[in-house]
Amino acid sequence: QKEVEQDPGPLSVPEGAIVSLNCTYSNSAFQYFMWYRQYSRKGPELLMYTYSSGNKEDGRFTAQVDKSSKYISLFIRDSQPSDSATYLCAMRWGGSQGNLIFGKGTKLSVKP
Amino acid sequence: DGGITQSPKYLFRKEGQNVTLSCEQNLNHDAMYWYRQDPGQGLRLIYYSQIVNDFQKGDIAEGYSVSREKKESFPLTVTSAQKNPTAFYLCASSIGGGTFGNEQFFGPGTRLTVL
């Protein structure tokens, strides 16, 4: 079992839809959870950053962490064509050691 | 403008050649990273450096080498020992290691193709 599992998609939705992107993980020691967005042929950029369990909202984006289920989600409300990108989840355990572990990414296409 | 630059954008290499990918940052970040991205594989860590003149192997360091002689620069050499080097290479930096490494800033990438 891989440490981080992410459905690669592709996921296609109409403009204005609510999008749900998800990752599961196996290592219960993970404490930090990130979502990166990567446009085609570009480097990723940090979108959301969450510590431990709970929800975090930033505009149209909501990140959710359920540590009991080892499951994280990113919700995009009122999706726009400009949201079309690959979304990578990443996580890291607590403490000063260790590096980010990335999911494979989900490719999202928002159709106008 | 502050940021990370990578060059070249596209690189072609013949089998048996070593090539060096450039990565420069003017963000005054201590930590720098090299990742490899293959279709369907996500990002895999090659090497990272948390301070000048020090670096550590990541998950897939075989066939690669790095140096960190200056804070701003972290070049990656893909050697002839790397059996399957064709990939998209991404350089990143962060303020520091540990929890500071959760927020990484990425360069635009170099696409390497072996002919």
Side-chain angles (χ1 to χ4, degrees):
Chain A
Q1 182 185 11
K2 293 191 181 298
E3 279 197 291
V4 179
E5 300 274 7
Q6 185 175 10
D7 187 337
L11 181 61
S12 182
V13 301
E15 183 175 355
I18 297 175
V19 176
S20 173
L21 303 168
N22 311 295
C23 287
T24 59
Y25 62 95
S26 58
N27 191 335
S28 59
F30 285 140
Q31 295 284 342
Y32 300 96
F33 304 91
M34 281 67 66
W35 286 95
Y36 281 80
R37 178 175 62 194
Q38 184 177 22
Y39 290 113
S40 182
R41 301 181 183 276
K42 304 289 186 183
E45 58 179 334
L46 182 64
L47 195 60
M48 299 286 283
Y49 178 173
T50 309
Y51 172 69
S52 194
S53 286
N55 292 359
K56 184 174 183 178
E57 188 172 321
D58 184 1
R60 296 184 295 110
F61 298 90
T62 299
Q64 194 172 80
V65 176
D66 181 350
K67 291 190 70 182
S68 62
S69 301
K70 298 189 182 69
Y71 189 88
I72 69 170
S73 300
L74 177 70
F75 297 98
I76 307 174
R77 292 182 299 280
D78 188 25
S79 56
Q80 302 295 309
S82 58
D83 295 327
S84 298
T86 296
Y87 291 81
L88 300 154
C89 65
M91 47 198 78
R92 200 179 70 81
W93 50 82
S96 61
Q97 300 301 315
N99 292 295
L100 295 184
I101 308 297
F102 284 87
K104 293 182 178 181
T106 299
K107 187 172 184 178
L108 171 67
S109 178
V110 181
K111 304 293 186 184
Chain B
D1 286 335
I4 301 178
T5 58
Q6 290 185 243
S7 62
K9 187 173 182 179
Y10 298 97
L11 185 58
F12 298 91
R13 190 195 90 172
K14 293 181 180 179
E15 284 194 22
Q17 283 184 335
N18 293 354
V19 290
T20 297
L21 282 58
S22 170
C23 177
E24 303 276 334
Q25 55 97 1
N26 61 4
L27 300 167
N28 200 32
H29 285 173
D30 283 321
M32 297 187 74
Y33 312 80
W34 273 106
Y35 292 92
R36 170 179 172 144
Q37 188 174 34
D38 297 278
Q41 289 287 335
L43 272 64
R44 292 183 290 170
L45 183 64
I46 303 172
Y47 268 98
Y48 65 101
S49 167
Q50 296 194 3
I51 197 168
V52 174
N53 293 322
D54 187 48
F55 49 83
Q56 285 78 40
K57 293 181 179 180
D59 300 320
I60 55 165
E62 185 175 351
Y64 300 97
S65 65
V66 293
S67 62
R68 187 85 187 277
E69 298 176 1
K70 298 188 298 182
K71 186 176 185 177
E72 305 80 23
S73 179
F74 192 39
L76 173 74
T77 296
V78 184
T79 75
S80 57
Q82 169 50 235
K83 297 305 178 188
N84 186 20
T86 294
F88 189 47
Y89 289 88
L90 288 159
C91 179
S93 71
S94 63
I95 292 174
T99 55
F100 292 111
N102 295 339
E103 183 172 7
Q104 296 186 13
F105 295 80
F106 284 82
T110 292
R111 189 165 298 276
L112 173 64
T113 302
V114 173
L115 303 174

